[in-house]
Amino acid sequence: AIMAMLPLPGLDGINLLYASRITYVSLYAALIAAGLLTIYANVFISVIASVVVGIIAWIIFYFGFEAESWKED
């Protein structure tokens, strides 16, 4: 899933990136967190932590990059 979400032509990640950048960033962060945590923790903790990491990535990306595009001059 991590490799399929890369934004390269022919993979599913490029379609999601062009559809919504903020969704792409939060889902990719959650996938990486779930992949790493599955190795070191049980499945329940991995799922909960990956959701939390996805939400944190969404907040950081929104306020760091996307909020500037909503400002009026």
Side-chain angles (χ1 to χ4, degrees):
I2 292 172
M3 295 299 290
M5 286 294 292
L6 288 174
L8 298 173
L11 296 177
D12 295 331
I14 198 161
N15 295 329
L16 185 61
L17 178 66
Y18 286 132
S20 174
R21 291 185 307 214
I22 200 161
T23 304
Y24 176 79
V25 169
S26 61
L27 284 178
Y28 201 64
L31 275 174
I32 291 173
L36 292 175
L37 288 172
T38 303
I39 297 170
Y40 300 111
N42 62 11
V43 175
F44 181 73
I45 292 174
S46 299
V47 170
I48 299 298
S50 66
V51 169
V52 170
V53 167
I55 292 170
I56 290 171
W58 181 83
I59 291 170
I60 290 171
F61 185 77
Y62 180 76
F63 288 112
F65 299 103
E66 292 290 327
E68 293 177 10
S69 65
W70 291 96
K71 290 182 183 177
E72 295 182 21
D73 293 329

